[in-house]
Amino acid sequence: AVVSTQSTGYTLIPWALARTLVEIPFLFVMPLLTLVSCYFLTGLTLTAGKFFSAYLCCVLMAWGSFGLGSFLGSCVTDPQIALALTGPVCMLFLVFGGFLKSNEDGSVFTLLNEISWINKGYSFLMINEFTDLELNCENVTCSTINGTVGR
């Protein structure tokens, strides 16, 4: 969001507080709508504790995205440039943040793995779902196809 430098009606701090207060309902409602539509359809663990933990994680990921958008918006003066930068920056976090590619080799992109809110949120959601989960593996037959175990 680009703040007008010609305006003398308000300073930066009231503008930032007002913008944050306006965004708060969206940052809580949109993750809830997304999570409710996906959580129950995918057969995840149906306990209140796990659901609200996943919701808290989604809210924090939304806040991280909001922060990145605010940062990019404050770095440039043209809104079109800020919008053009958002996609590539998010792709950097997706591809090199450990979400799609392992960064165990100590490459230069390891820092992106450490600061990636997407990677940390995904890891938390996996831990949230699979902790204390008991899988029923009875009557499961496995076969090997070219040395790979499959069902």
Side-chain angles (χ1 to χ4, degrees):
V2 179
V3 179
S4 173
T5 57
Q6 304 298 323
S7 175
T8 58
Y10 54 88
T11 60
L12 182 61
I13 292 175
W15 173 83
L17 288 173
R19 179 168 182 246
T20 302
L21 288 174
V22 166
E23 292 285 335
I24 283 177
F26 296 105
L27 292 173
F28 283 102
V29 172
M30 294 307 288
L32 181 64
L33 293 176
T34 303
L35 186 64
V36 165
S37 65
C38 295
Y39 194 87
F40 301 107
L41 292 175
T42 56
L44 298 175
T45 306
L46 296 176
T47 63
K50 290 203 178 219
F51 176 79
F52 286 112
S53 294
Y55 173 62
L56 176 64
C57 179
C58 290
V59 167
L60 293 175
M61 288 172 59
W63 275 99
S65 300
F66 172 72
L68 177 67
S70 297
F71 173 74
L72 291 175
S74 65
C75 288
V76 296
T77 57
D78 186 14
Q80 296 299 327
I81 295 173
L83 286 173
L85 284 175
T86 303
V89 170
C90 286
M91 284 309 258
L92 279 174
F93 281 106
L94 278 173
V95 174
F96 298 110
F99 186 68
L100 299 175
K101 177 190 173 298
S102 175
N103 287 325
E104 296 173 357
D105 58 357
S107 67
V108 69
F109 296 109
T110 305
L111 176 64
L112 287 175
N113 186 21
E114 296 300 319
I115 63 172
S116 174
W117 75 98
I118 299 169
N119 184 11
K120 302 303 180 204
Y122 177 75
S123 297
F124 177 80
L125 289 172
M126 293 301 105
I127 291 169
N128 183 47
E129 177 60 25
F130 292 111
T131 300
D132 299 328
L133 181 67
E134 293 184 21
L135 298 175
N136 184 6
C137 296
E138 296 175 11
N139 300 325
V140 175
T141 58
C142 295
S143 61
T144 58
I145 301 171
N146 296 332
T148 305
V149 175
R151 290 188 209 201

